[in-house]
Amino acid sequence: MSRIIPDLVVAPQELPAHVDVVVIGGGIIGVSTALSLVERGVSVALCEKGLIGAEQSSRNWGWVRQMGRDPAELPLAIESLRLWRGMNERIGGETGFRQAGIAYLCDTDADVAMYDEWLKHATSFDLDSRFVRGEALKTLMPGMAKPIRAALHTPSDGKAEPFIAVPAIARGAAAKGVHILTNCAVRSIERSAGRVSGCVTERGEIRCSSVVLAGGAWSRLFAGNMGIDLPVLKILGSVARVSSIEGVPDFAVGAGNFAFRRRLDGGFTVAQRNANVAPITPDSFRLFCDYTPTLIKSWNELTLRIGGQFVRELKMARSWKSDEVHVRILDPDPSLRFVHGGVTHLCEAFPAFRDARIMQMWAGLMDVTPDAVPVIAPVGSVPGFYLATGFSGHGFGIGPGAGALMADLVTGSTPCVDPAPFRMERFKRLKRAA
């Protein structure tokens, strides 16, 4: 974890012989699911092949937003924000959550029209999103030198610290009874009469009646080992941490070609917005038809790249024995072009950032579905097996709500939001599990 602050250690625990539910993956989705389950009296073991929150869950921008969400995700985003507000008290720790607001800058009339269309979907949810123009815009955006048409501002949106929040939630879950098992990869799922009956980990077997796969960028590989063809590809996002400056907004701001957020340590997390790398891998060809509509729509936001990852994934076994171990932690190289491009664009819009220094750079691999909406659902062909994956770069903000929804599905409770938009059958390509 050379590119992220390495405070990601959660004290490992002994392997239990039996629990009700095993959660695979120690990112924001996995730890939120484990927390929600244990609070309902369910015994849980969370198995993470590396460290808690060490991949995309600690590498994202740290935004907790309702604004701009896909209509299918909006109810979950609203529920998640409610849970974020009480998270520090709930876990007895600091997540860095602050309800500071978020603003999207509109450079053109087309930007205004796009967000106005989104507002039509949002009106039924009583959100406080509104356009800010004229003199009010100068007050909202101190230090901005770039002329813009308007800003879409949502004061109730927030931010949190990814590398602090995810381990803190895991520690809170552990204090409530969750078995947190780091450096403990799950290799296979055991079944009896077709139903989940246990997990084989590199440290031994855990008997259980349910398994939740929240493996992020690894979910497609793990599901494929079970004969489930889950359409998820990986997208690389690059981020920087810059030093503290004053005279700019303290809330998160996104423009067409940059984004920034004031951090708890006083500095800023900065990225070039709408600029991600789509590594070409063997799965890119296997899933080409699934992603063609998204590729056409988002062509200007993606840079296709073929390199070492293609060869690594080509050599990687798509099925394995229970004693094999893959990569512990994905720590990809950031795109220097995108990092420096984001900082350059930011300095043009907010000249005060010319005095800031780049302190760190890193990258993360996001698990992306064809429609950029996650899968939070049971696998009908394997009773007791559930998927919580494909969060498409939106997982940090909606993590607590996703965990609550998954806990509802596992326990048969009334769902906190309608789960229908997240069912996996919408892809119409998942093979029957072997």
Side-chain angles (χ1 to χ4, degrees):
M1 290 296 291
S2 59
R3 301 184 185 94
I4 304 294
I5 296 176
D7 185 22
L8 299 169
V9 177
V10 177
Q13 300 180 14
E14 293 296 320
L15 192 84
H18 179 273
V19 293
D20 297 321
V21 181
V22 170
V23 176
I24 303 174
I28 183 67
I29 308 302
V31 299
S32 296
T33 298
L35 177 64
S36 293
L37 284 168
V38 76
E39 289 176 337
R40 303 174 192 210
V42 177
S43 60
V44 184
L46 184 149
C47 296
E48 164 55 46
K49 63 181 174 54
L51 298 176
I52 295 297
E55 295 187 343
Q56 180 59 19
S57 287
S58 63
R59 299 164 186 260
N60 62 83
W61 297 358
W63 292 22
V64 179
R65 66 178 173 90
Q66 308 158 104
M67 185 173 63
R69 290 283 188 186
D70 187 295
E73 280 188 347
L74 192 49
L76 192 60
I78 293 170
E79 174 65 10
S80 287
L81 181 61
R82 184 187 71 80
L83 294 171
W84 273 113
R85 291 189 191 109
M87 186 62 74
N88 286 0
E89 181 179 1
R90 181 181 175 190
I91 63 172
E94 176 63 76
T95 63
F97 176 77
R98 303 292 185 269
Q99 194 162 320
I102 296 176
Y104 283 159
L105 306 187
C106 302
D107 293 324
T108 66
D109 291 336
D111 293 336
V112 174
M114 177 182 66
Y115 289 126
D116 187 56
E117 187 65 26
W118 176 83
L119 272 175
K120 293 175 183 177
H121 294 290
T123 51
S124 60
F125 295 97
D126 296 323
L127 298 186
D128 56 350
S129 303
R130 62 187 179 89
F131 281 111
V132 180
R133 297 180 171 89
E135 290 300 315
L137 187 57
K138 297 179 183 178
T139 302
L140 179 69
M141 292 289 167
M144 186 174 66
K146 179 181 179 180
I148 61 173
R149 294 286 192 274
L152 182 64
H153 184 218
T154 305
S156 61
D157 279 350
K159 58 185 181 178
E161 292 300 335
F163 68 92
I164 293 175
V166 183
I169 296 171
R171 293 185 188 105
K176 295 174 184 281
V178 173
H179 300 271
I180 302 292
L181 308 168
T182 53
N183 291 311
C184 183
V186 173
R187 291 289 145 237
S188 62
I189 293 176
E190 298 292 293
R191 284 173 269 184
S192 299
R195 181 177 181 84
V196 168
S197 60
C199 284
V200 176
T201 81
E202 62 182 286
R203 290 169 53 185
E205 185 174 355
I206 305 173
R207 308 304 298 172
C208 63
S209 57
S210 299
V211 171
V212 176
L213 175 59
W218 296 97
S219 293
R220 173 170 166 79
L221 185 64
F222 192 96
N225 193 49
M226 297 179 64
I228 300 169
D229 188 11
L230 175 66
V232 171
L233 290 178
K234 295 183 278 291
I235 299 294
L236 183 84
S238 299
V239 189
R241 175 173 69 92
V242 306
S243 57
S244 178
I245 54 109
E246 299 301 326
V248 298
D250 276 337
F251 51 83
V253 176
N257 54 13
F258 68 84
F260 70 90
R261 169 186 66 84
R262 173 85 75 173
R263 298 161 58 95
L264 199 62
D265 60 16
F268 291 84
T269 294
V270 176
Q272 182 167 336
R273 193 162 174 238
N274 301 321
N276 297 305
V277 175
I280 297 176
T281 67
D283 276 342
S284 302
F285 298 96
R286 297 182 184 109
L287 299 174
F288 180 78
C289 293
D290 299 80
Y291 284 84
T292 297
T294 299
L295 186 62
I296 294 172
K297 180 180 178 182
S298 305
W299 182 257
N300 293 331
E301 300 175 12
L302 294 172
T303 296
L304 302 181
R305 184 174 73 187
I306 187 165
Q309 190 169 335
F310 183 94
V311 177
R312 286 191 295 272
E313 294 198 14
L314 184 64
K315 293 180 177 179
M316 187 176 291
R318 295 175 61 81
S319 61
W320 57 86
K321 297 178 181 178
S322 59
D323 59 350
E324 295 182 82
V325 178
H326 287 300
V327 178
R328 285 289 177 199
I329 295 173
L330 285 171
D331 189 20
D333 294 327
S335 166
L336 299 182
R337 178 166 69 93
F338 285 156
V339 168
H340 289 294
V343 172
T344 297
H345 296 313
L346 175 58
C347 291
E348 291 169 353
F350 291 88
F353 277 101
R354 293 170 185 165
D355 295 327
R357 292 178 297 117
I358 296 178
M359 310 299 289
Q360 263 184 316
M361 293 184 286
W362 64 86
L365 284 166
M366 298 170 275
D367 46 320
V368 179
T369 62
D371 57 8
V373 173
V375 175
I376 310 172
V379 178
S381 56
V382 186
F385 185 49
Y386 300 81
L387 293 173
T389 192
F391 282 80
S392 307
H394 313 154
F396 183 73
I398 61 174
L405 177 58
M406 180 50 68
D408 290 336
L409 297 176
V410 171
T411 60
S413 305
T414 301
C416 58
V417 300
D418 182 5
F422 311 112
R423 66 193 187 282
M424 61 182 187
E425 287 81 6
R426 71 186 191 269
F427 300 123
K428 299 178 181 178
R429 61 170 288 117
L430 292 167
K431 296 177 181 177
R432 187 177 185 274

